[in-house]
Amino acid sequence: MATDPSGAQPASVPARPHTPPTLAQVAERAGVSLKTASRAVNGEPRVAEATRERVLDAAHQLGFQLNRAASLLARGLTSNLVGLITGDLANPFYSAVAKGVEQELRSHGMQLTVASSDEEPSRERGLIGEFVDRQVRALILVSTISDHSDLAGVQSRGIPVVFVDRPGVGIDADSVLLDNRRGAADAVGHLVAAGHTAIGFVGDLSRLETHRERLAGFQDAMRAASLDPDRWVRHDAHDVGAALAEVRGLLTGADRPTALFTSNNRITIGAVRAMIELDAWPALVGFDDFELADVLGVTVIAHDPVEMGRTAARLAFGAMERRHEGPSRVVLPTRLVQRGSGERPPGT
């Protein structure tokens, strides 16, 4: 490296930041007008096939990438996408909700894009940002975030937000919920009617509103029956493995319940696995129906997650069309489906 007469090293010259190629440069290289280049890269009609190929080839050579959202906005258009963020796509409940949303959107000529937060608040926030950048027409959330006040900024951009299964907190937005408290109370009432006084509760993540509501319904019904509402309560059994461990602990302890209420489908499956492993058969009622529950004879608190998805999509579409003023709160009913496991008397 050369030096100046004083021997000092010259200051290094910072590299120029790479500037992405523009559509104007693509048009120049292809030898067409800017308007023709725009039509070609956006897939619009009235462009000769040879011209389209020349423009796309020029775009490829330059490394040009179309910003779809900006392109739509520049043409006065919006996307036909609606974003759905769920807690866990492996859970059949969320798959059924997504099915309902997709069915309703399809009837309006719109498309659904789905992502999972894996119950991680930071991941959910990142996905919301990605969907907003993609100019989705609406956001439907099964949210794991505890405060949604910052989503008012999303609403201010004209993107409706609809909450499913778990309500929004700190925000005025539509929601579609289950009657969790009533469903849990019905489960306890069914077990009490079978003669049980030692009833355990195994629940999901304690920070989730659905968990708190189902626990409250359980405790309401236990108190109404003059039973201890806290003695056999377990929290944070979010997946099958955690539920199996919690139920195993309950059923092998010196002070064990004779009946269980499990607060969602994955927890119920974990409970059944523990019961088979231990050959121990307390009475059992689970919240959420699930595949093979009828074959296994598991009594459940059932509901319609597909209809929940349809309802959320209808609310989202109504908000897009400005058909209703103010947030709507829809609470869907639950029902007890008796299959035998909840009728087992104590000591059997």
Side-chain angles (χ1 to χ4, degrees), residues 314-335:
R314 285 193 288 267
L315 288 173
F317 191 78
M320 287 181 237
E321 299 296 312
R322 302 185 183 277
R323 291 182 184 172
H324 61 273
E325 297 293 333
S328 298
R329 179 185 175 96
V330 180
V331 179
L332 300 179
T334 61
R335 67 187 187 281

Side-chain angles (χ1 to χ4, degrees), residues 80-133:
N80 67 340
L81 290 178
V82 169
L84 170 63
I85 300 175
T86 73
D88 180 4
L89 283 176
N91 188 328
F93 168 76
Y94 297 124
S95 300
V97 170
K99 179 180 179 180
V101 173
E102 196 276 335
Q103 287 176 348
E104 186 67 25
L105 292 179
R106 191 192 312 147
S107 69
H108 296 288
M110 306 190 73
Q111 295 181 349
L112 177 66
T113 181
V114 185
S116 173
S117 70
D118 295 325
E119 303 291 4
E120 292 290 340
S122 60
R123 176 167 172 76
E124 181 179 329
R125 291 188 179 94
L127 288 169
I128 289 170
E130 290 177 18
F131 280 172
V132 170
D133 288 344

Side-chain angles (χ1 to χ4, degrees), residues 158-205:
I159 302 175
V161 179
V162 179
F163 291 91
V164 178
D165 190 44
R166 306 165 188 170
V169 178
I171 187 172
D172 289 330
D174 293 335
S175 58
V176 187
L177 312 172
L178 294 173
D179 196 347
N180 293 298
R181 204 157 180 156
R182 168 72 67 174
D186 288 345
V188 173
H190 184 64
L191 294 169
V192 169
H196 293 275
T197 57
I199 304 172
F201 173 93
V202 184
D204 202 343
L205 300 175

Side-chain angles (χ1 to χ4, degrees), residues 41-345:
V41 298
N42 280 291
E44 294 183 25
R46 299 184 314 241
V47 178
E49 194 58 34
T51 301
R52 189 188 308 279
E53 289 181 4
R54 193 164 73 250
V55 170
L56 294 179
D57 184 58
H60 177 72
Q61 292 174 17
L62 292 170
F64 173 81
Q65 292 186 341
L66 178 66
N67 184 327
R68 296 285 179 185
S71 174
L72 288 168
L73 288 174
R75 290 181 286 150
L77 302 174
T78 55
S79 78
N80 67 340
L81 290 178
V82 169
L84 170 63
I85 300 175
T86 73
D88 180 4
L89 283 176
N91 188 328
F93 168 76
Y94 297 124
S95 300
V97 170
K99 179 180 179 180
V101 173
E102 196 276 335
Q103 287 176 348
E104 186 67 25
L105 292 179
R106 191 192 312 147
S107 69
H108 296 288
M110 306 190 73
Q111 295 181 349
L112 177 66
T113 181
V114 185
S116 173
S117 70
D118 295 325
E119 303 291 4
E120 292 290 340
S122 60
R123 176 167 172 76
E124 181 179 329
R125 291 188 179 94
L127 288 169
I128 289 170
E130 290 177 18
F131 280 172
V132 170
D133 288 344
R134 294 173 66 182
Q135 296 294 323
V136 293
R137 293 287 303 280
L139 275 174
I140 300 175
L141 304 177
V142 183
S143 182
T144 194
I145 296 174
S146 58
D147 181 8
H148 304 97
S149 54
D150 56 349
L151 289 183
V154 174
Q155 293 174 315
S156 69
R157 297 176 63 167
I159 302 175
V161 179
V162 179
F163 291 91
V164 178
D165 190 44
R166 306 165 188 170
V169 178
I171 187 172
D172 289 330
D174 293 335
S175 58
V176 187
L177 312 172
L178 294 173
D179 196 347
N180 293 298
R181 204 157 180 156
R182 168 72 67 174
D186 288 345
V188 173
H190 184 64
L191 294 169
V192 169
H196 293 275
T197 57
I199 304 172
F201 173 93
V202 184
D204 202 343
L205 300 175
S206 54
R207 61 183 167 82
L208 298 179
E209 180 65 18
T210 45
H211 166 83
R212 293 194 292 268
E213 284 290 303
R214 292 170 195 177
L215 176 59
F218 170 86
Q219 292 174 325
D220 289 345
M222 291 289 281
R223 292 188 186 98
S226 299
L227 302 176
D228 190 330
D230 302 307
R231 188 169 180 176
W232 296 283
V233 169
R234 300 293 184 270
H235 307 275
D236 299 314
H238 178 60
D239 54 32
V240 171
L244 188 154
E246 291 290 355
V247 173
R248 184 192 290 133
L250 281 170
L251 298 184
T252 56
D255 181 26
R256 65 193 68 173
T258 64
L260 294 174
F261 170 56
T262 47
S263 73
N264 70 29
N265 55 356
R266 310 302 285 168
I267 297 172
T268 305
I269 291 170
V272 171
R273 289 185 178 178
M275 291 158 63
I276 292 171
E277 173 190 296
L278 298 171
D279 193 24
W281 302 99
L284 174 66
V285 178
F287 202 105
D288 300 329
D289 209 351
F290 61 96
E291 190 174 5
L292 297 182
D294 55 339
V295 176
L296 295 170
V298 178
T299 296
V300 298
I301 301 297
H303 49 84
D304 189 345
V306 175
E307 179 58 28
M308 175 176 268
R310 289 195 196 101
T311 303
R314 285 193 288 267
L315 288 173
F317 191 78
M320 287 181 237
E321 299 296 312
R322 302 185 183 277
R323 291 182 184 172
H324 61 273
E325 297 293 333
S328 298
R329 179 185 175 96
V330 180
V331 179
L332 300 179
T334 61
R335 67 187 187 281
L336 177 71
V337 179
Q338 300 183 42
R339 297 188 177 121
S341 67
E343 293 82 56
R344 296 173 190 147

